[in-house]
Amino acid sequence: MMKLPYTTHQDKAPFFLMAGSCAIENRDLAFEIAERIKTITDTLGIPFIFKGSYRKANRTKIDSFTGIGDIVALEILHEVGQHFQVPTVTDIHESGEAAMAAPYVDVLQIPAFLCRQTDLLAAAAQTGKAVNIKKGQFMSGASMKFAVEKVKHENPDALVYLTDRGNSFGYGDLVVDFRNIPEMAAFQVPVIMDCTHSLQRPNQGSGVTGGQPALIETIAKAAIAVGTDGLFIETHPNPSVAKSDGANMLPLNQLEGLLEKLVKIREAIL
């Protein structure tokens, strides 16, 4: 396993970044994104975990892109991790996928809609890999302690991350309640703010999830000011042609400027 950032609110440490494209679309794109983020984060001294979904199981329409093949995508993730010497993270959706994905990545991510699925959490914990649990859009930060307990019950030594990604607001919007960050930090686990999915506008009548990417900087700045340990940002060289979640992704050429600002905010509050 690659060295993973483990920082909590008590540590005098920089925030870490979990970032990459939404889905693994092809090898060249994954390497392009990883190389650019690695260069930026090395310069700024930000620990980096590369993110890519080998499969998109939660899609609005039957003909939405779901992936290029599980093993093909997982092998690309593994290759990225080895080439750039960075840890990697991917989503799993069913219990049986934990053992399949674990040999290829360092962190198994539990999607927000599945954060209460006991068998899924247990299967992730049993692999010995770190587990990033996304807070359900329908849950409070305080209620996520039970998800942490489920993982720790199976593997007391497991590294668990909790990620906020907003709360449902009506039928087609999300709102970020920054009280969730200190509430989840109380469980003595690193807390991450998902700055892109929290700006989704799901369940649109068009069948394509919308978003507000212009507000990514706003969410990220606020999260750093509140004291989040890490940031989750999906990014793409050209979000308009991304095969998944392009409507709320950050253009890759804007990442460096954003992180420079966030480093200054972090330094100011330490």
Side-chain angles (χ1 to χ4, degrees):
M1 181 183 289
M2 297 285 184
K3 183 179 180 181
L4 285 161
Y6 182 86
T7 179
T8 66
H9 288 64
Q10 287 71 42
D11 295 331
K12 298 297 183 183
F15 63 89
F16 60 90
L17 179 68
M18 191 176 283
S21 60
C22 179
I24 298 296
E25 299 181 20
N26 57 66
R27 181 185 183 278
D28 288 347
L29 180 62
F31 268 70
E32 176 186 353
I33 294 171
E35 182 175 27
R36 182 63 187 138
I37 301 175
K38 181 70 162 57
T39 299
I40 295 169
T41 52
D42 280 354
T43 299
L44 296 175
I46 300 171
F48 166 46
I49 303 172
F50 179 77
K51 185 269 172 181
S53 295
Y54 66 86
R55 189 200 315 162
K56 300 302 296 181
N58 176 19
R59 310 300 292 141
T60 303
K61 298 191 296 184
I62 189 64
D63 59 351
S64 296
F65 173 81
T66 57
I68 58 175
D70 291 354
I71 300 302
V72 172
L74 285 167
E75 287 177 341
I76 291 171
L77 271 165
H78 182 71
E79 191 177 356
V80 166
Q82 294 298 308
H83 182 83
F84 295 104
Q85 287 298 289
V86 296
T88 55
V89 57
T90 197
D91 311 85
I92 58 172
H93 318 91
E94 297 180 6
S95 301
E97 295 177 29
M100 176 187 72
Y104 298 93
V105 297
D106 302 282
V107 185
L108 297 175
Q109 181 166 282
I110 308 301
F113 281 128
L114 303 178
C115 69
R116 287 172 51 95
Q117 298 300 104
T118 302
D119 288 348
L120 181 60
L121 291 163
Q126 289 163 6
T127 67
K129 296 299 173 107
V131 182
N132 180 33
I133 312 171
K134 287 202 166 182
K135 183 186 72 61
Q137 302 93 320
F138 44 87
M139 295 182 68
S140 69
S143 65
M144 289 300 292
K145 74 173 184 177
F146 304 110
V148 175
E149 288 174 355
K150 289 176 182 179
V151 173
K152 292 289 190 177
H153 179 267
E154 295 295 326
N155 179 6
D157 297 323
L159 171 55
V160 181
Y161 298 98
L162 289 178
T163 297
D164 189 15
R165 53 145 304 159
N167 283 81
S168 297
F169 187 74
Y171 290 112
D173 206 355
L174 297 168
V175 64
V176 175
D177 181 351
F178 285 98
R179 294 177 297 179
N180 288 321
I181 292 175
E183 285 183 356
M184 294 193 295
F187 310 136
Q188 299 299 303
V189 298
V191 175
I192 302 168
M193 183 70 230
D194 184 338
C195 303
T196 46
H197 289 101
S198 61
L199 290 166
Q200 280 184 334
R201 285 187 162 170
N203 306 319
Q204 300 299 304
S206 65
V208 178
T209 296
Q212 295 177 291
L215 293 176
I216 292 171
E217 181 172 324
T218 300
I219 297 295
K221 285 178 174 177
I224 293 297
V226 171
T228 190
D229 303 305
L231 297 176
F232 181 108
I233 297 176
E234 288 188 342
T235 183
H236 193 284
N238 185 359
S240 66
V241 300
K243 295 184 181 296
S244 176
D245 280 359
N248 52 264
M249 273 202 266
L250 182 74
L252 186 58
N253 63 8
Q254 295 179 18
L255 182 63
E256 183 173 16
L258 172 60
L259 292 178
E260 287 174 345
K261 294 176 184 176
L262 298 177
V263 166
K264 291 178 181 177
I265 294 172
R266 178 70 172 178
E267 290 172 348
I269 66 171
L270 286 178

